């Protein structure tokens, strides 16, 4: 990641509140750097990321250069995923370990992988709630 992208990454809190997201998006601070951060930190393919964001892979890749046509809900989704990755890395100690957990079936969510829920904001919040629970001693 570039120095500018590292600064963007540092700005995003590991647990986002709705008011932070709304304020950030209203100030029009979202850039292609955010898409590149997600791409770098997610440790997965563009195909999977585009599926999570409900985008065509070609559209997702185009957003790494220009987000002027990206819908606000896609921008929100990207911010939420970046925040989730930060929170998960804090809980698990690394992005790689968190990614492994995301891709592993979990008995506490009907034997499904947490990754299966990341295509919606509510799903991201549910997974984030599981992370918060783990921080306070819940089972994973």
């Amino acid at each position: 990641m570039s120095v500018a992208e590292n600064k963007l990454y540092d700005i995003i809190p590991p647990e986002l509140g709705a008011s932070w997201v709304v304020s950030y998006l209203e100030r029009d601070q979202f850039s292609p750097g955010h898409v590149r951060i997600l791409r770098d930190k997610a440790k997965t393919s563009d195909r999977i990321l585009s599926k999570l964001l409900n985008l065509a892979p070609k559209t997702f890749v185009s957003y790494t250069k220009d987000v002027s046509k990206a819908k606000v809900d896609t921008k929100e989704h990207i911010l939420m995923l970046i925040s989730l990755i930060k929170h998960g890395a804090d809980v698990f100690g690394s992005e790689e370990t968190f990614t492994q957990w995301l891709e592993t079936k979990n008995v506490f969510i009907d034997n499904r992988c947490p990754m299966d829920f990341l295509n919606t904001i509510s799903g991201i919040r549910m997974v984030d709630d599981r992370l918060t629970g783990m921080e306070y001693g819940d089972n994973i």
Side-chain angles (χ1 to χ4, degrees):
M1 280 192 327
S2 71
V3 172
E5 288 167 0
N6 277 322
K7 286 182 181 179
L8 284 176
Y9 184 68
D10 290 343
I11 290 169
I12 300 170
E15 296 182 61
L16 288 181
S19 62
W20 187 94
V21 174
V22 169
S23 174
Y24 192 82
L25 292 173
E26 282 183 349
R27 290 191 314 261
D28 200 28
Q29 295 182 329
F30 194 88
S31 72
H34 291 90
V35 181
R36 291 190 298 268
I37 290 166
L38 176 62
R39 192 184 212 187
D40 180 67
K41 298 290 184 178
K43 311 288 187 230
T44 193
S45 69
D46 288 350
R47 183 184 58 77
I48 291 172
L49 288 172
S50 62
K51 185 177 177 184
L52 291 178
L53 295 167
N54 304 303
L55 298 171
K58 186 176 177 180
T59 302
F60 174 74
V61 171
S62 76
Y63 288 166
T64 64
K65 295 179 180 73
D66 178 17
V67 292
S68 62
K69 294 183 181 175
K71 295 179 182 177
V72 71
D73 58 327
T74 301
K75 294 174 183 180
E76 176 186 24
H77 203 150
I78 290 168
L79 288 173
M80 297 291 291
L81 286 169
I82 293 169
S83 177
L84 182 74
I85 291 166
K86 284 182 88 166
H87 191 193
D90 287 349
V91 172
F92 283 92
S94 73
E95 292 159 5
E96 291 79 13
T97 305
F98 174 59
T99 300
Q100 290 172 353
W101 178 79
L102 283 174
E103 296 171 347
T104 302
K105 290 184 179 184
N106 189 311
V107 68
F108 296 102
I109 50 175
D110 294 331
N111 245 5
R112 293 177 63 193
C113 300
M115 181 76 87
D116 294 345
F117 298 96
L118 302 184
N119 64 328
T120 65
I121 298 300
S122 294
I124 293 169
R125 287 189 179 130
M126 182 191 76
V127 172
D128 195 55
D129 287 347
R130 290 294 318 136
L131 292 174
T132 300
M134 286 183 251
E135 287 178 301
Y136 292 95
D138 281 357
N139 292 321
I140 58 171

